[in-house]
Amino acid sequence: MAARSEISNPAWPRYLALCGAALPAMLFVISSGWSFPPFSPRQITDSNDLFPFLVAPWAEPNNIFGLISRLVQVALLWRAPSFGILELVFGYLFWILVALARTLVGFILTRSVGWAFPRLFSHYAMYETSRGYGPVLVGYLLGLDGADVAKISGLHIHPQYFVIGLSLLMCWLDVEPWTYGIATLGVGTFVLVHSIFSRIRPLKRDQVVSGSPQRIVIPKMALTLVALITFTNMLSPRLSPAKQVSMPESPFPPARLLDIIILSFPRPDVQAAQMIIKTTLESYTPLLSAGVGLAVFTHVEQHPAFDAVQDAIGTSQNIAFYKDTDTHSDARSGQYLHLAEAFRWQLERGAEQAEWVMIVEDDFPLCGQEAGRNALRTVMKLLEDGREGKESIPARRGAFIGTGGSGLIFHRSLLPIMAHILRTHADLVSKLPPNMPSRPADVVMQDCLLGRDPLCPPKRPGGLIITSRLVMDHIGGMFSTNAHKATNSDKWRCGWRHAFHGMGEVDVVVVEDLW
């Protein structure tokens, strides 16, 4: 497209855009502590929060690399050969379209495929934050012809190479491959649509301008997109560095850091149940140490598979087996009572009580051997990092690395609350308020960790740690403990999207392994 004269444009739109890019950078330098929030798709899909969506171009950079990117953006705006009211308006509209497209792509690549096609699941499609003018300026550069790009660069290099190099530079500095990639695709889509409509309704002779937009833009767009895709693979270690983590030390030795309690209930097929329990145990035994304990708990007197595994393992691996055989005439037998008694038993262990407790059903082993164990260690490190002092209760009091009632990690301060809530749900004569809806036992535990239960700590942003993918497998789907429940062999498997992924109440440990 032909370059337009600057004479026709007033100066104030350029200065307004320059202020919008420069002021957030200045606020970052002086550490003002105030800024517009950056945008990520989960703010729309999970929180219905439109404010960041509208103001993210003026959000403050988050580090020195973002500051450098912002300075590059200021330089581009200053040297732009044509920047008027139309560019200002269309630039903001372009940002709106990019953000909406990112929301759609994020939704598709997380919620839509997270279970059906886990290989297509992408954490960063939903969580990547966007801020600044970078993606809009990439769209602006792609729409310029070679002469205008040459004026901006002032260098003796091919305009296409300049646009590609600058796009990659800003993408790397901002760490926003999804945003820049979608901005690039957006320009190409607009040009193709324009080309199609031009063929359907040819322009009049006096409306024809020199050069074909698709011939100018599409090669640059294609080259830039290919470069961004390649660059994204190079950038992925920076986005999600693979790091081996050691299990944190117990804050109160000799008390353990973590107790893993495996809840077991009889299955009709005793031999299959025995293999399931054994497989699950074997996935956790490498974690055993002075700071990590493992126990198998059942609240059923007749449990042949439990007895067989206990006899086979004995005390050789320092695994505790406990069969709670007391009766409760005032309560219904089932998951509520089973869990309530498990929490009560843990509370009564006294000096043996660990700082944290993870509840696991006996058919949910850890995934991926060392990869799954490393994910658990990373979660435990984050939980302990939230502790301000040795005597304090951590800021975060729980984590969730599995699904349903498995993989829930509770701080010991929550155990009395959980035992009470679950026991109340198990009572034959309910003490619950009449207007309180009935919830499954696993939802009761999840609600407590999310801060949705009135007896539990209140909800707070990032109060619960999850893994982006499930790091626990479900191997007992074909051998349900409930004879009337439909069996399944492909539900809630390793690598599936975590059900809480995207929620504002959670912090996420990114897991890329698919196993």
Side-chain angles (χ1 to χ4, degrees):
M1 60 186 71
R4 293 188 299 163
S5 172
E6 286 189 86
I7 299 175
S8 61
N9 287 323
W12 66 264
R14 184 191 302 271
Y15 294 139
L16 185 62
L18 283 168
C19 289
L23 284 177
M26 293 172 60
L27 291 173
F28 172 78
V29 171
I30 64 176
S31 301
S32 68
W34 183 91
S35 172
F36 286 131
F39 167 76
S40 69
R42 70 191 185 109
Q43 294 159 341
I44 295 178
T45 59
D46 290 87
S47 304
N48 297 319
D49 184 5
L50 293 177
F51 185 64
F53 164 74
L54 297 173
V55 301
W58 302 282
E60 185 178 297
N62 62 333
N63 54 36
I64 188 65
F65 296 104
L67 177 63
I68 296 171
S69 175
R70 204 61 59 93
L71 296 177
V72 171
Q73 295 165 30
V74 170
L76 280 174
L77 288 167
W78 181 257
R79 294 184 62 86
S82 174
F83 200 92
I85 299 173
L86 282 178
E87 283 78 8
L88 202 63
V89 172
F90 282 115
Y92 186 68
L93 291 177
F94 182 69
W95 157 253
I96 295 295
L97 291 175
V98 168
L100 288 174
R102 269 215 58 204
T103 302
L104 176 62
V105 171
F107 182 86
I108 291 172
L109 294 182
T110 54
R111 288 193 180 185
S112 296
V113 302
W115 298 293
F117 304 101
R119 287 190 175 276
L120 298 179
F121 171 83
S122 173
H123 166 78
Y124 289 104
M126 180 64 77
Y127 271 77
E128 179 185 288
T129 55
S130 305
R131 63 190 86 208
Y133 290 178
V136 175
L137 288 174
V138 166
Y140 174 72
L141 288 172
L142 287 170
L144 294 177
D145 62 16
D148 285 340
V149 173
K151 288 181 182 178
I152 294 175
S153 69
L155 303 172
H156 297 292
I157 61 174
H158 196 285
Q160 286 187 0
Y161 299 149
F162 175 77
V163 172
I164 293 171
L166 201 60
S167 301
L168 291 176
L169 175 64
M170 289 192 293
C171 177
W172 181 78
L173 291 170
D174 289 331
V175 198
E176 297 178 13
W178 281 101
T179 311
Y180 280 83
I182 287 176
T184 303
L185 276 175
V187 174
T189 302
F190 174 79
V191 171
L192 287 174
V193 171
H194 178 272
S195 174
I196 292 170
F197 275 97
S198 297
R199 292 176 184 275
I200 296 173
R201 298 182 62 184
L203 297 174
K204 297 178 182 178
R205 185 178 298 275
D206 59 352
Q207 291 178 306
V208 176
V209 294
S210 61
S212 170
Q214 59 267 30
R215 289 179 61 188
I216 296 170
V217 175
I218 289 180
K220 286 192 291 187
M221 184 273 294
L223 287 171
T224 304
L225 189 60
V226 169
L228 278 171
I229 292 171
T230 305
F231 191 65
T232 300
N233 292 326
M234 298 168 59
L235 192 65
S236 57
R238 184 179 167 196
L239 290 172
S240 180
K243 184 186 296 184
Q244 290 297 312
V245 176
S246 300
M247 187 69 78
E249 297 291 330
S250 171
F252 306 108
R256 290 183 295 273
L257 171 75
L258 174 67
D259 274 345
I260 302 168
I261 301 179
I262 297 176
L263 304 178
S264 187
F265 200 82
R267 287 177 165 81
D269 189 330
V270 175
Q271 187 174 1
Q274 185 177 337
M275 290 301 299
I276 287 170
I277 298 171
K278 187 177 179 183
T279 301
T280 300
L281 278 173
E282 288 173 349
S283 73
Y284 294 98
T285 49
L287 291 165
L288 287 174
S289 66
V292 179
L294 181 60
V296 186
F297 176 92
T298 186
H299 191 251
V300 181
E301 186 172 359
Q302 300 298 323
H303 193 340
F306 177 97
D307 298 333
V309 174
Q310 182 178 14
D311 292 340
I313 293 178
T315 58
S316 60
Q317 297 188 43
N318 198 27
I319 301 173
F321 286 82
Y322 184 78
K323 183 181 287 188
D324 186 12
T325 58
D326 56 352
T327 59
H328 303 271
S329 58
D330 58 342
R332 288 183 295 270
S333 178
Q335 193 177 14
Y336 292 119
L337 187 60
H338 196 182
L339 284 163
E341 289 298 291
F343 282 117
R344 178 194 58 77
W345 173 69
Q346 179 68 13
L347 282 167
E348 292 176 353
R349 297 179 76 178
E352 295 185 30
Q353 186 182 156
E355 186 71 4
W356 301 90
V357 174
M358 182 164 80
I359 299 297
V360 179
E361 293 171 352
D362 65 5
D363 57 343
F364 278 85
L366 275 177
C367 300
Q369 299 181 350
E370 181 55 30
R373 293 191 286 270
N374 191 61
L376 175 57
R377 290 193 294 262
T378 304
V379 168
M380 294 307 304
K381 183 178 185 303
L382 287 176
L383 287 173
E384 279 297 310
D385 286 347
R387 189 186 300 276
E388 294 181 2
K390 273 209 165 186
E391 300 301 324
S392 68
I393 293 176
R396 301 183 181 101
R397 292 211 239 173
F400 192 15
I401 65 172
T403 186
S406 291
L408 292 150
I409 302 174
F410 297 88
H411 186 256
R412 59 183 174 83
S413 60
L414 294 178
L415 300 190
I417 300 173
M418 290 312 310
H420 172 72
I421 296 174
L422 290 162
R423 186 64 174 80
T424 302
H425 279 75
D427 286 341
L428 287 173
V429 180
S430 177
K431 303 181 183 68
L432 296 172
N435 59 343
M436 179 174 285
S438 176
R439 297 171 293 168
D442 52 356
V443 175
V444 171
M445 294 189 292
Q446 294 169 16
D447 282 351
C448 185
L449 291 181
L450 287 170
R452 295 175 178 174
D453 195 291
L455 295 179
C456 296
K459 179 169 64 175
R460 58 182 290 269
L464 175 66
I465 298 173
I466 66 167
T467 48
S468 58
R469 297 175 182 268
L470 300 186
V471 296
M472 303 177 78
D473 203 1
H474 184 206
I475 62 175
M478 296 302 293
F479 304 95
S480 175
T481 58
N482 186 344
H484 303 289
K485 185 178 179 180
T487 59
N488 65 77
S489 60
D490 60 347
K491 300 294 184 185
W492 306 111
R493 307 310 299 263
C494 294
W496 283 31
R497 168 189 175 265
H498 195 290
F500 292 175
H501 186 265
M503 287 186 178
E505 299 96 323
V506 303
D507 278 346
V508 183
V509 172
V510 181
V511 176
E512 298 294 354
D513 300 272
L514 289 172
W515 301 291

